[in-house]
Amino acid sequence: MRYAEVYGAWKADPEAFWMQAAEAIDWDVKPSKALWEEAAPLYEWYKDAQVNTCWNAVDRHVAAGRGEQVAIIYDSPVTGVKTSITYADLQDRVARLAGALRSKGLEMGDRVIIYMPMVPEALIAMLACARIGAIHSVVFGGFAASELAVRIDDATPKAIIAGSCGIEPGRIVEYKPLLDEAIEIAAHAPEFCVIFQRDQAQADLKPGRDFDWDELVKTAAPADCVPVPGDHPAYILYTSGTTGQPKGVVRPTAGHLVALNWTMKNIYNVDPGEVFWAASDVGWVVGHSYICYAPLIHGNTTVVFEGKPVGTPDAGTFWRVISEHNVKSFFTAPTAFRAVKRVDPKGELIKDYDLSCLETVYLAGERADPDTIEWMQDKLGVPIIDHWWQTETGYTIVGNPMGIEKLPVKIGSPTLPMPGYDVQILDEAGHPMPPGELGAIAVRLPLPPGTLPTLWNAEDRFRKSYLTTFPGYYETGDAGMIDEDGYLYIMARTDDVINVAGHRLSTGGMEEVLAAHPDVAECAVIGVTDELKGQLPMGFVCLNAGSEKTEDEVKSECIQLVRERIGPVAAFKVVCVVDRLPKTRSGKILRATMVKIADGAVFKMPATIDDPTILDEIAEALKKVGYPAD
Ligand code: COA
Ligand code: AMP
């Protein structure tokens, strides 16, 4: 079947389509139907089924006689370690950790925060939770203690599993002091912590609360897989919204299994046994879906890479890993390739490796700029496939289904909607707009299996953030257009979310941090265009009258504060001190206009601006920090 037939088959009978896709999953109790719409506009999938994620990702492959196949390749240029773990080995390690967690009192439905670097133990921890029906929430290592604390208070975990350290080029990031600080700040206290000790930095353990991973699993009895209801949350993943309080995206178990399994062949065109590599981090949705769950559910070999695209040790690392491990499909964020291209513009290092195994490269997480796509096409000679998705959906909304049919690529567009997604461009009143016109990107409800049914502990916020603006639709928060051929173009976010090196961050969250500085009277944070990272945050602060600090002191304190409160991942390094911020007459800060000035783009004077002369002051301040860039 070709794409149009597959998409048409879904549209004609979504229930039949998703029940058929569900046949690829091992059920303890099969679902009687796919979609449950009694609580519309809240929807659920495969609600009356009983199933276990870990069984489907691990045990069933062993049961099918494929225990000796490699499940995980761990390649860590920052430590020099390369190992592989077979499915049989993985089953044993996961079952023993699950048994250890259970012996400490962890049960189905309990939450577990996982704060780990890119080591196979991160996946083992996720799978061990899934094995006993515990709900994990992985927190990215680049977040600061207070961000971890916010997540501890929201998820109220019974346990926290953490690595003793992460390794960033040139420095070791000790996770344990950050964890201790987070527990100190948080109102909720976990009952126990499991610490995976790494040679690079051994953590001090708090007696009675902290347990050594190796010690625990040594004596643990393996735990069996516990079947859970289809709508049981598999995990919570926090993502940035418009405020400092992150949104806890809930991932439902059964839909997640069915949908992710479907994507592996149809979108990524890999068969069981083949090697799939997503160079991301388990702290992000790409890491959840495509480092851990989807490749394992589908019986592929996944690569856990602990390194950077450049500098570990050089810009040839990607090519080495692809060639050494026989990677067929490779997925990363455009930023990673921009970093490689900047260091090795001629692609000289590519020539050192045999990349004949590589069939396709996939990009997502941020806008894929044409220059980078063209460079990759030219240097790699394989299809470069952009696809668009979000933490909320967990997999592709709009893409190019390489396992069904390679659709013509139009650079700048992630191509066409995948089955399950009826994507529309809406005007402010919620009316569909004609081809070529810019509007809000929305998806007609229900969203397909595996997408978020709600936000953790925040159903009201879920309704307000996604379902209220356009009744009958899911509001994506992205704006764009669809052309005459149905190709989607993503142009911008409609909220205060920015995308820094493929990492989703909230400017609102950063403003909350700056506003807490005692000398800051008022502030704004905007996302300016950056050649490498796509966007970078930039702060504007107005100082309180009578502040005794110099401007430079306040600036560096602001930078330090964002690093301490949000984390180094925010890459917040530029602050301008200004007397006033440009506003509308009703007092709304004109952030979009400030972005245009910083980017050197043409802009129309907002009709509602209170005092246009302030824009000259902003331009002046920007010039001092080198914006617009040449
Ligand atoms: N633990 C602790 N700190 C971390 C971290 C982690 N897991 N990950 C990143 N950081 C820190 C970095 O050390 C850096 O700190 P610094 O300000 O002291 O230098 C900061 O957070 C920003 O990190 P990063 O975004 O990685 O920027 P970089 O300048 O070090 O590297 C790239 C630039 C382009 C190489 C890098 O951003 C990259 O590899 N991007 C790929 C994007 C990606 O995988 N996105 C995931 C979604 S698909
Ligand atoms: P995250 O939830 O971190 O995956 O971020 C999702 C957001 O990243 C989307 O809402 C978009 O704004 C942006 N994004 C993801 N993929 C793409 C893409 N292929 N093209 C343009 N923007 C993208």
Side-chain angles (χ1 to χ4, degrees), residues 365-367 386-391 478 490 493 499 504:
E366 57 173 326
R367 181 173 169 270
D386 181 16
H387 57 328
W388 169 64
W389 49 295
Q390 307 182 312
T391 304
D478 282 317
I490 316 282
R493 287 288 302 190
N499 204 314
R504 178 166 155 181

Side-chain angles (χ1 to χ4, degrees), residues 292-321:
C292 183
Y293 289 113
L296 297 177
I297 293 164
H298 194 248
N300 290 96
T301 298
T302 186
V303 180
V304 171
F305 171 73
E306 190 181 25
K308 301 262 177 180
V310 294
T312 60
D314 58 30
T317 305
F318 277 178
W319 323 129
R320 176 190 65 75
V321 173

Side-chain angles (χ1 to χ4, degrees), residues 116 149 177 226 235 289 306 313 369 372-374 431 507 559 571 573:
M116 301 276 283
V226 176
Y235 67 77
S289 294
E306 190 181 25
D369 57 291
T372 304
I373 295 192
E374 279 159 11
H431 303 306
T507 52
I559 290 168
K573 296 193 170 151

Side-chain angles (χ1 to χ4, degrees), residues 490-514:
I490 316 282
M491 313 302 271
R493 287 288 302 190
T494 56
D495 55 15
D496 296 329
V497 164
I498 58 169
N499 204 314
V500 180
H503 307 140
R504 178 166 155 181
L505 298 166
S506 164
T507 52
M510 294 185 217
E511 287 179 2
E512 285 172 25
V513 173
L514 297 184

Side-chain angles (χ1 to χ4, degrees), residues 310-528:
V310 294
T312 60
D314 58 30
T317 305
F318 277 178
W319 323 129
R320 176 190 65 75
V321 173
I322 290 169
S323 132
E324 216 168 283
H325 303 303
N326 208 23
V327 173
K328 182 177 175 190
S329 279
F330 176 48
F331 177 173
T332 193
T335 301
F337 280 107
R338 287 197 293 269
V340 171
K341 177 175 157 228
R342 192 150 86 165
V343 177
D344 181 20
K346 294 199 176 125
E348 296 292 350
L349 295 168
I350 299 174
K351 297 177 193 144
D352 293 345
Y353 300 95
D354 174 5
L355 297 183
S356 54
C357 55
L358 182 67
E359 282 191 4
T360 316
V361 175
Y362 297 85
L363 297 175
E366 57 173 326
R367 181 173 169 270
D369 57 291
D371 274 1
T372 304
I373 295 192
E374 279 159 11
W375 182 84
M376 292 168 66
Q377 284 173 336
D378 178 45
K379 299 291 177 271
L380 295 174
V382 299
I384 309 298
I385 303 297
D386 181 16
H387 57 328
W388 169 64
W389 49 295
Q390 307 182 312
T391 304
E392 288 85 343
T393 65
Y395 61 99
T396 315
I397 308 168
V398 167
N400 197 332
M402 296 297 282
I404 299 174
E405 172 189 1
K406 181 182 178 239
L407 297 165
V409 169
K410 292 195 193 187
I411 290 189
S413 167
T415 313
L416 294 177
M418 293 299 96
Y421 294 98
D422 179 353
V423 180
Q424 301 283 333
I425 306 295
L426 304 179
D427 66 15
E428 277 179 14
H431 303 306
M433 299 184 74
E437 289 196 23
L438 194 63
I441 308 175
V443 181
R444 208 188 292 275
L445 294 171
L447 290 177
T451 55
L452 83 171
T454 188
L455 293 175
W456 183 254
N457 278 339
E459 190 183 302
D460 265 4
R461 188 176 184 195
F462 172 68
R463 288 177 189 266
K464 279 193 201 116
S465 305
Y466 302 107
L467 307 180
T468 308
T469 313
F470 305 117
Y473 292 88
Y474 162 81
E475 183 184 4
T476 66
D478 282 317
M481 61 158 189
I482 293 178
D483 74 6
E484 296 286 349
D485 299 322
Y487 279 57
L488 179 76
Y489 292 79
I490 316 282
M491 313 302 271
R493 287 288 302 190
T494 56
D495 55 15
D496 296 329
V497 164
I498 58 169
N499 204 314
V500 180
H503 307 140
R504 178 166 155 181
L505 298 166
S506 164
T507 52
M510 294 185 217
E511 287 179 2
E512 285 172 25
V513 173
L514 297 184
H517 187 290
D519 292 287
V520 170
E522 222 184 352
C523 66
V525 175
I526 59 171
V528 299

Side-chain angles (χ1 to χ4, degrees), residues 115-118 140-143 165-169 171 173 175 178 278-281 284-287 307-310 318 331-340 342 363-366 389 499-504 532-533 563 567-573:
Y115 190 55
M116 301 276 283
M118 281 296 289
F140 178 60
F143 280 123
C165 67
I167 297 151
E168 283 296 291
R171 76 191 156 108
V173 183
Y175 283 10
L178 294 170
S280 175
D281 186 287
W284 308 113
V285 69
V286 175
K308 301 262 177 180
V310 294
F318 277 178
F331 177 173
T332 193
T335 301
F337 280 107
R338 287 197 293 269
V340 171
R342 192 150 86 165
L363 297 175
E366 57 173 326
W389 49 295
N499 204 314
V500 180
H503 307 140
R504 178 166 155 181
L532 174 66
K533 296 194 176 186
R563 197 176 168 92
V569 67
F572 182 82
K573 296 193 170 151

